[in-house]
Amino acid sequence: MKLSEHIVNGALDHDKLRATVTTGIRMLDNVIDLNFYPTKEGKTSNMRHRPIGIGIMAFQDALYKV
């Protein structure tokens, strides 16, 4: 997620950020279902805990724009 793209008129656009995060979470959650798991234990763990991670890019650019 490129955070600087969510700065509008010098402020963080919360609605745009919410939409981006919602879409990203849904896509990453789908990867868990579609992934190949070589062991039964790995599949069971991922299906139970659904581990995902979202990072941010361009944080310093966002700070500069604000």
Side-chain angles (χ1 to χ4, degrees):
M1 170 176 61
K2 191 172 178 187
L3 192 59
S4 63
E5 297 295 321
H6 296 82
I7 304 296
V8 178
N9 297 327
L12 183 63
D13 184 344
H14 291 241
D15 293 330
K16 186 174 182 180
L17 182 61
R18 183 178 295 111
T20 301
V21 170
T22 300
T23 301
I25 293 291
R26 188 178 72 239
M27 294 169 91
L28 289 170
D29 192 56
N30 288 343
V31 169
I32 293 172
D33 292 328
L34 299 173
N35 205 5
F36 168 75
Y37 300 100
T39 64
K40 183 179 73 162
E41 294 82 7
K43 182 174 184 174
T44 301
S45 176
N46 274 1
M47 293 300 170
R48 178 177 298 145
H49 302 293
R50 317 270 317 158
I52 59 168
I54 290 184
I56 59 171
M57 297 182 335
F59 181 66
Q60 73 281 2
D61 296 333
L63 292 175
Y64 180 75
K65 286 183 172 183
V66 175

